[in-house]
């Protein structure tokens, strides 16, 4: 996925000299091609996430299009006030493109797990929040939003879902629709793979969101007569859905405790019942409670 | 006292009295710095979006009233407009909003943001090969924040010689975490560092126009919190957020020389 990020950046930079890349000392080797081709637009600023965000806001104030790239917990949780004040309150946009969201760095432990980023960013006025789940989504969303002057947050996932879905900023996808279904399952990002696997033979609807804010209220409204179950390995989508619909909405995902395990992304998802089997189990329980 | 600076201090006192708000001692310690910067920098009160203007950021946002009065006396808006300072519908909040106040480039209030945003603007000017400059006024209390040092490390590494940081060294942190030997610290951070009397406008102007030698410049301005009024200077902690009564205002106006 990160290699695709590099390809998209080079494609944009070839036609837009206002694109500036600011790194927090990550992906430096990966982005060597970019640095070689656009040396005056490539800055590996340092391991200083607060300053990274503020500098991006300063650059945006001069009509450049900065892209800040580093690890999710450090650029969102550590730099929250910089995003809130320097980007959002001051109205100096810019793009934050993180990697290592949720449990993508499972083996590095709780210091590197980050499941609050989407919700933290969602709460800030004026912010756009995206969780692309595939290379196609990452490329199209970045290209369509990077230069709009607004503060925008993108997550680059470690894995991707394998469904080929239409991509439009702010629009959800109806992945499964059953006229008789009384439950609508809602998810976002690469977790779609497991959720789809669990849902495909069940009597449920499945909605998929790559854009957490603004949320596609129109699609949600169509399913407002059904019960809703958000399955997501992060915070943000559930809160956004609850703020949008009147329906009863349940959540399956992040528990109220730190994850003190290492291993792989798959290990953590299995632990949290976010693998396909675990998700299927959760949905079956939910369906058994619906008359 | 310089005539411009005396007028600014008089207005700060009157507006603080009228509004019931104000950090008067901290405002009084930056008056000469503001006067010197607005005298030296390229700016146009009649065209606040002039694309050749230099950028000034008041990073210690609680001195906003001094900034408003300086902008008013520089022709940005009438000083009478500032009398509703801090009121519900006023555009002049106790911390400035760049969207509402002509001439304010960054909304500040939380400390430790100005030098970081300023570094980004300075780098943007370098990328655009623009001769424009960036000035950031920070406090010594503000220098407790790690982002001040983080941003200056980056600015020095990126050779941002178009960035000037003015430190209001009014020793307000003596009761907490003082920045001892600030000039030594900024030199150690590879900044072109000058130390001046922060109430000497000519010395400040000389420092502002001195060469940067390919590095960000830091002007350590030694100031007195409450400078201009003996009562404020001798009781800076008691007056930190106070607004004067009518009698106190008359007394303080009388102390201004």
């Amino acid at each position: 996925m990160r290699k695709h990020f590099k390809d998209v950046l080079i494609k944009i930079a070839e036609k837009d000299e206002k694109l500036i890349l600011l790194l927090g000392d990550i992906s430096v080797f990966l982005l060597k091609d970019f640095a070689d081709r656009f040396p005056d637009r490539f800055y590996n600023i340092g391991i200083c996430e607060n300053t990274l965000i503020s500098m991006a806001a300063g650059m945006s104030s001069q009509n450049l299009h900065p892209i800040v790239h580093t690890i999710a917990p450090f650029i969102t949780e550590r730099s929250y006030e910089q995003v809130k004040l320097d980007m959002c309150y001051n109205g100096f946009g810019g793009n934050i493109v993180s990697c290592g969201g949720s449990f993508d760095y499972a083996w590095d432990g709780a210091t590197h797990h980050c499941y609050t980023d989407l919700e933290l960013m969602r709460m800030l006025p004026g912010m756009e929040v995206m969780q692309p789940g595939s290379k196609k989504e990452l490329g199209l969303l970045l290209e369509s939003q990077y230069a709009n002057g607004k503060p925008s947050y993108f997550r680059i996932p470690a894995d991707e879902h394998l469904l080929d879905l239409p991509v439009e900023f702010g629009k959800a996808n109806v992945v499964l629709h059953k006229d008789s279904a009384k439950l609508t399952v809602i998810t976002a990002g690469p977790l779609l793979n497991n959720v789809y696997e669990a849902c495909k033979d069940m009597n449920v609807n499945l909605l998929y969101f790559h854009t957490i804010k603004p949320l596609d209220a129109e699609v949600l409204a169509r399913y407002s007569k059904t019960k809703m179950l958000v399955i997501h390995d992060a915070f943000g989508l559930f809160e956004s859905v609850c703020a949008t619909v009147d329906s009863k909405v349940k959540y399956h995902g992040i528990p109220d405790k730190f994850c003190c395990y290492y291993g792989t992304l798959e290990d953590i998802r299995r632990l949290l019942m976010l693998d396909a089997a675990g998700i299927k189990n959760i949905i079956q329980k939910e369906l058994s409670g619906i008359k | 006292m310089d005539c411009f600076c005396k007028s600014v201090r008089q207005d700060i006192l009157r507006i603080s009295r009228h509004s019931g708000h104000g950090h008067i001692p901290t405002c009084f310690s930056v008056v000469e710095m503001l006067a010197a910067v607005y005298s030296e920098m390229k700016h146009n009160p009649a065209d606040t979006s002039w694309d050749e203007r230099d950028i000034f950021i008041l990073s210690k946002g609680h001195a906003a009233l001094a900034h408003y009065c300086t902008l008013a006396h520089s022709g940005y808006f009438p000083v009478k407009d500032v009398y509703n300072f801090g009121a519900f519908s006023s555009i002049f909040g106790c911390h400035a909003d760049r969207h509402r106040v002509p001439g304010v480039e960054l909304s500040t209030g939380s400390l430790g943001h100005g030098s970081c945003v300023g570094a980004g603007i300075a780098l943007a000017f370098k990328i655009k090969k623009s001769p424009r400059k960036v000035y950031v006024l920070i406090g010594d209390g503000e220098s407790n924040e790690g982002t001040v040092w983080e941003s200056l490390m980056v600015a020095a590494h990126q050779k941002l010689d178009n960035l000037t940081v003015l430190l209001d060294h009014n020793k307000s942190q003596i009761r907490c975490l003082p920045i001892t030997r600030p000039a030594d610290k900024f030199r150690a951070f590879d900044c072109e560092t000058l130390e001046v009397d922060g109430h000497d406008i000519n010395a400040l102007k000389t420092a502002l126009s001195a060469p940067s030698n390919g590095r960000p410049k830091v002007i350590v301005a030694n100031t007195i919190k409450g400078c201009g009024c003996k009562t404020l200077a001798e009781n800076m902690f008691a007056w930190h957020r106070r607004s004067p009564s009518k009698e106190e205002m008359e007394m303080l106006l009388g102390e201004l020389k």
Side-chain angles (χ1 to χ4, degrees):
Chain A
M1 283 292 268
R2 276 203 267 171
K3 183 181 171 304
H4 186 67
F5 173 54
K6 177 198 73 172
D7 294 341
V8 174
L9 284 180
I10 289 175
K11 183 181 164 192
I12 297 172
E14 280 172 343
K15 57 189 179 193
D16 185 353
E17 62 180 19
K18 289 183 172 182
L19 181 134
I20 311 291
L21 189 54
L22 303 171
L23 300 183
D25 201 26
I26 191 170
S27 308
V28 180
F29 184 74
L30 176 84
L31 289 159
K32 186 174 178 303
D33 289 354
F34 185 102
D36 290 344
R37 291 186 59 182
F38 312 104
D40 57 343
R41 288 191 268 155
F42 176 90
Y43 296 91
N44 184 15
I45 293 293
I47 306 168
C48 47
E49 295 81 8
N50 299 165
T51 295
L52 264 176
I53 293 289
S54 300
M55 286 185 74
M59 293 187 144
S60 173
S61 78
Q62 302 308 313
N63 298 314
L64 297 176
H65 303 315
I67 293 189
V68 174
H69 174 53
T70 191
I71 304 174
F74 314 134
I75 202 64
T76 58
E77 294 168 345
R78 187 192 198 104
S79 301
Y80 194 55
E81 188 185 77
Q82 279 73 18
V83 181
K84 172 190 164 194
L85 296 181
D86 299 340
M87 283 187 161
C88 296
Y89 176 49
N90 270 286
F92 297 140
N95 305 282
I96 304 167
V97 183
S98 75
C99 57
S102 289
F103 303 100
D104 283 356
Y105 289 149
W107 54 87
D108 281 324
T111 58
H112 283 59
H113 300 163
C114 184
Y115 31 78
T116 62
D117 56 339
L118 301 166
E119 172 61 0
L120 288 172
M121 296 296 110
R122 185 190 76 87
M123 290 191 290
L124 296 174
M127 197 87 194
E128 297 176 341
V129 182
M130 286 152 277
Q131 187 191 8
S134 68
K135 294 185 188 74
K136 178 181 172 185
E137 290 168 16
L138 174 65
L140 290 175
L141 291 171
L142 193 57
E143 280 189 78
S144 76
Q145 302 307 115
Y146 83 97
N148 64 9
K150 294 178 182 173
S152 303
Y153 181 70
F154 306 81
R155 240 200 205 195
I156 307 177
D159 63 336
E160 63 176 325
H161 68 71
L162 302 174
L163 280 71
D164 186 13
L165 303 169
V167 183
E168 185 181 347
F169 172 73
K171 297 290 182 193
N173 299 96
V174 179
V175 180
L176 295 170
H177 173 84
K178 311 270 173 63
D179 284 338
S180 59
K182 293 179 178 173
L183 178 68
T184 299
V185 176
I186 298 167
T187 194
L191 191 67
L192 175 63
N193 248 8
N194 291 356
V195 179
Y196 177 75
E197 192 60 31
C199 290
K200 64 184 180 185
D201 300 320
M202 301 176 86
N203 189 27
V204 296
N205 306 307
L206 173 56
L207 305 183
Y208 171 72
F209 293 79
H210 47 63
T211 307
I212 309 288
K213 185 181 179 182
L215 199 73
D216 188 341
E218 189 271 325
V219 163
L220 278 175
R222 274 192 261 153
Y223 293 87
S224 61
K225 296 277 194 295
T226 69
K227 290 196 171 180
M228 293 184 170
L229 172 63
V230 172
I231 299 177
H232 195 204
D233 53 355
F235 298 114
L237 179 63
F238 171 64
E239 294 78 0
S240 196
V241 170
C242 287
T244 307
V245 298
D246 295 329
S247 317
K248 184 174 182 186
V249 187
K250 285 193 171 179
Y251 173 68
H252 171 64
I254 305 295
D256 185 25
K257 60 182 178 183
F258 285 103
C259 175
C260 297
Y261 292 88
Y262 300 97
T264 64
L265 175 59
E266 288 70 30
D267 290 334
I268 306 293
R269 283 182 177 164
R270 197 178 311 114
L271 172 81
L272 300 178
M273 294 187 72
L274 286 168
D275 59 332
I279 292 168
K280 193 160 190 163
N281 202 329
I282 294 290
I283 294 173
Q284 279 169 339
K285 275 189 194 160
E286 195 59 34
L287 285 173
S288 67
I290 297 175
K291 297 281 185 287
Chain B
M1 189 185 299
D2 175 89
C3 179
F4 181 96
C5 295
K6 185 174 181 180
S7 298
V8 168
R9 282 192 173 88
Q10 287 170 334
D11 283 326
I12 290 169
L13 286 174
R14 291 183 186 122
I15 292 168
S16 177
R17 162 69 196 142
H18 184 81
S19 65
H21 298 292
H23 286 84
I24 300 173
T26 200
C27 284
F28 275 25
S29 71
V30 300
V31 169
E32 280 76 16
M33 276 187 276
L34 289 167
V37 168
Y38 276 88
S39 158
E40 291 296 299
M41 67 187 263
K42 287 171 72 176
H43 68 117
N44 182 0
D47 181 5
T48 54
S49 56
W50 180 38
D51 61 9
E52 292 179 30
R53 74 192 188 284
D54 294 331
I55 301 291
F56 171 76
I57 294 170
L58 179 71
S59 193
K60 48 175 292 179
H62 52 294
L65 182 53
H67 194 194
Y68 297 153
C69 292
T70 302
L71 288 168
H73 282 273
S74 302
Y76 281 82
F77 38 76
V79 73
K80 68 175 172 54
D81 290 1
V82 190
Y83 272 71
N84 62 356
F85 177 61
F88 176 70
S89 58
S90 175
I91 67 167
F92 299 99
C94 294
H95 296 96
D97 180 349
R98 78 165 194 92
H99 298 286
R100 304 174 82 187
V101 183
V104 170
E105 303 278 2
L106 186 73
S107 308
T108 55
S110 177
L111 299 173
H113 287 248
S115 58
C116 309
V117 177
I121 298 172
L123 183 54
F125 289 162
K126 288 286 182 189
I127 290 168
K128 293 181 165 190
K129 299 185 174 28
S130 164
R132 295 169 67 184
K133 294 179 178 174
V134 183
Y135 301 90
V136 182
L137 201 167
I138 66 172
D140 55 355
E142 178 174 14
S143 301
N144 286 181
E145 297 282 3
T147 47
V148 169
W149 306 96
E150 193 175 286
S151 59
L152 285 172
M153 247 192 313
V154 171
H157 183 68
Q158 298 292 341
K159 298 182 171 51
L160 299 180
D161 58 2
N162 52 352
L163 173 68
T164 296
V165 172
L166 298 102
L167 173 73
D168 175 21
H169 188 218
N170 64 17
K171 295 90 174 172
S172 63
Q173 286 304 91
I174 53 171
R175 68 178 176 182
C176 180
L177 179 57
I179 303 299
T180 55
R181 303 184 310 284
D184 290 349
K185 287 188 168 72
F186 288 112
R187 281 191 192 102
F189 273 67
D190 294 327
C191 296
E192 183 72 12
T193 306
L194 305 162
E195 192 162 8
V196 300
D197 174 351
H199 299 299
D200 181 339
I201 289 195
N202 289 328
L204 284 162
K205 286 181 182 175
T206 301
L208 285 166
S209 59
S212 292
N213 296 319
R215 308 190 292 181
K217 188 193 292 181
V218 175
I219 300 173
V220 175
N222 291 311
T223 56
I224 298 165
K225 201 165 177 179
C227 178
C229 290
K230 187 169 173 289
T231 300
L232 298 178
E234 291 177 353
N235 303 281
M236 65 174 177
F237 292 123
W239 278 91
H240 180 69
R241 289 197 78 136
R242 265 195 68 190
S243 172
S245 66
K246 188 170 184 305
E247 294 72 25
E248 286 170 332
M249 182 186 73
E250 295 301 338
M251 177 191 71
L252 294 170
L253 284 170
E255 288 182 14
L256 284 174
K257 295 286 186 282

